[in-house]
Amino acid sequence: MTTPERTPLHLTRRPRRARTTAAMRSLTAETELRPRNLIQVLFVRDGIQEPQPIASMPGQFQHTMTTVLDEVQKAIDAGVACIDLFGVPRDEDKDESGSAAWASDGVLNRAIAAIREKFGDQIVIMADTCLDEFTSHGHCGPLTEDPFGNTVVDNDASVAAYCAMALAQAQAGAHVVSPSGMMDGQVAAIRATLDEAGFQDVAIMAYSAKYASAFFGPFRDAVGSSLQGDRKSYQQDPGNGREGVLEAHLDIEEGADFVMVKPAMAYLDVVRQVADFSPVLVAAYQVSGEYAMIEAAAANGWVDRERIVLESLTGIKRAGADMILTYYATEVAGWLN
Ligand code: PBG
């Protein structure tokens, strides 16, 4: 076989010029991750003496009241500007209504108070505002019967509970509450409750477009979820993009300070659509399943862990996310520094 003859092309544009050297690539880079745009997600569990590894999320732990403080310190040292806290109660503290969520001595509220007391305003303390970790049935709100005798999650009773929970979180010292239960009207009701109680300065990160996703699988281990069944009657169908945009519009009208799309990787088009119109900052959540898939492939030597983590986060940023919630925040911030 003869090698095809090389004919010089006469091109007006050769995009490769922008890629010739490391300095040129640095000059022309469009998207940059920064530690301060990453939000470290942390779990704190009641009644344990040692941090418990989460099997489906290698490298992540359910923390004790003490070790969670160490994690917050590490995040601050790395330049991360926000942590997002989830509480894991003892089984005996779960009930039908999820009342440990708004008890001032509930695990999440105690952890918020301890972190606020130790770190003050050095880092933004965001708390998850949802009942699923606290209910005995694992749903994001209390159950009721519809007129035909079917068991359903009661939207309006859930919103009332979220208001009580948000208030308890604000009283404990949260700077941001983050309703993640996908109940209609939750943002407006929480805003009114916080304002009424004098917490005008506590912000709301709305989980606006949240999909009924298999990517949440490992999280259910992480919080010891009691869920039977699924969340399809309140979380969105994965195929629905317009509806995600509608949800973000509603939350902005209701007073959300930030809107979020979740999961991130399989929903980057939704992130982009929301980012294109949103007058408030947009967040995306790289969820447990995204983390678990990267870790599993990396552990097998099938992908380069550090490169794929950075690429996954860069893609989320490029899609339009101003902030990214991720289990990698502190680690990645360390790499970036
Ligand atoms: C529920 C909640 C979930 C996650 C955050 N908040 C799970 C669910 O909706 O079932 C998932 C986070 C993750 O997968 O990393 N309020």
Side-chain angles (χ1 to χ4, degrees):
M1 287 287 214
T2 55
T3 310
E5 197 188 332
R6 179 183 189 278
T7 17
L9 301 174
H10 300 286
L11 301 178
T12 316
R13 299 227 168 257
R14 286 185 184 262
R16 282 186 55 183
R17 284 176 201 131
R19 305 171 200 144
T20 48
T21 67
M24 183 66 89
R25 290 190 291 275
S26 168
L27 174 71
T28 58
E30 296 178 40
T31 305
E32 187 172 31
L33 291 172
R34 293 194 205 89
R36 65 179 182 82
N37 302 132
L38 303 174
I39 299 174
Q40 178 66 48
V41 183
L42 294 171
F43 301 102
V44 59
R45 177 167 165 191
D46 212 356
I48 54 170
Q49 305 309 318
E50 296 293 329
Q52 304 292 310
I54 300 165
S56 51
M57 300 177 71
Q60 299 300 310
F61 295 83
Q62 296 173 329
H63 286 285
T64 70
M65 282 289 164
T66 317
T67 62
V68 77
L69 296 174
D70 303 335
E71 294 304 308
V72 176
Q73 183 67 61
K74 284 185 213 162
I76 292 171
D77 293 344
V80 168
C82 182
I83 50 137
D84 181 30
L85 266 191
F86 287 87
V88 184
R90 295 177 305 189
D91 277 341
E92 59 266 36
D93 292 330
K94 295 184 180 188
D95 60 26
E96 290 275 306
S97 61
S99 61
W102 56 85
S104 60
D105 64 351
V107 57
L108 183 51
N109 297 321
R110 266 163 38 231
I112 295 166
I115 293 168
R116 183 70 186 257
E117 193 190 1
K118 175 144 192 209
F119 299 103
D121 296 333
Q122 286 183 68
I123 192 161
V124 176
I125 304 166
M126 181 158 86
D128 187 64
T129 312
C130 188
L131 299 175
D132 59 303
E133 292 93 26
F134 299 93
T135 53
S136 45
H137 44 74
H139 275 292
C140 293
L143 304 177
T144 187
E145 280 199 357
D146 75 3
F148 305 98
N150 304 306
T151 300
V152 294
V153 175
D154 185 337
N155 188 90
D156 298 12
S158 301
V159 170
Y162 295 171
C163 289
M165 186 177 187
L167 182 58
Q169 293 175 334
Q171 284 164 340
H175 299 95
V176 185
V177 298
S178 56
S180 63
M182 291 301 282
M183 299 301 146
D184 296 334
Q186 59 187 10
V187 172
I190 289 172
R191 186 69 272 156
T193 300
L194 292 176
D195 289 354
E196 182 93 3
F199 292 107
Q200 288 84 358
D201 290 341
V202 171
I204 300 176
M205 159 90 73
Y207 283 63
S208 299
K210 182 177 180 186
Y211 290 87
S213 173
F215 285 97
F216 301 154
F219 176 91
R220 308 258 165 96
D221 277 356
V223 298
S225 171
S226 314
L227 183 68
Q228 310 276 329
D230 61 53
R231 305 198 198 285
K232 289 180 184 166
S233 73
Y234 43 106
Q235 298 181 346
Q236 294 177 250
D237 184 292
N240 291 359
R242 280 184 204 284
E243 192 184 81
V245 172
L246 168 66
E247 288 279 8
H249 268 290
L250 292 175
D251 286 349
I252 293 165
E253 282 166 20
E254 289 182 33
D257 297 280
F258 318 108
V259 290
M260 192 212 291
V261 174
K262 175 184 182 177
M265 189 178 64
Y267 300 88
L268 293 181
D269 59 318
V270 182
V271 174
R272 170 45 61 200
Q273 289 181 72
V274 171
D276 280 346
F277 81 82
S278 176
V280 303
L281 294 185
V282 176
Y285 193 145
Q286 182 182 51
V287 301
S288 58
E290 299 176 65
Y291 178 92
M293 291 195 308
I294 292 174
E295 289 304 310
N300 277 293
W302 294 338
V303 296
D304 178 325
R305 180 174 181 273
E306 182 166 333
R307 284 186 58 205
I308 210 165
V309 168
L310 289 170
E311 187 174 333
S312 66
L313 294 170
T314 301
I316 297 167
K317 187 101 194 268
R318 191 197 62 241
D322 301 292
M323 313 173 205
I324 305 173
L325 294 97
T326 169
Y327 301 95
Y328 290 115
T330 300
E331 186 181 7
V332 167
W335 301 342
L336 297 174
N337 287 326

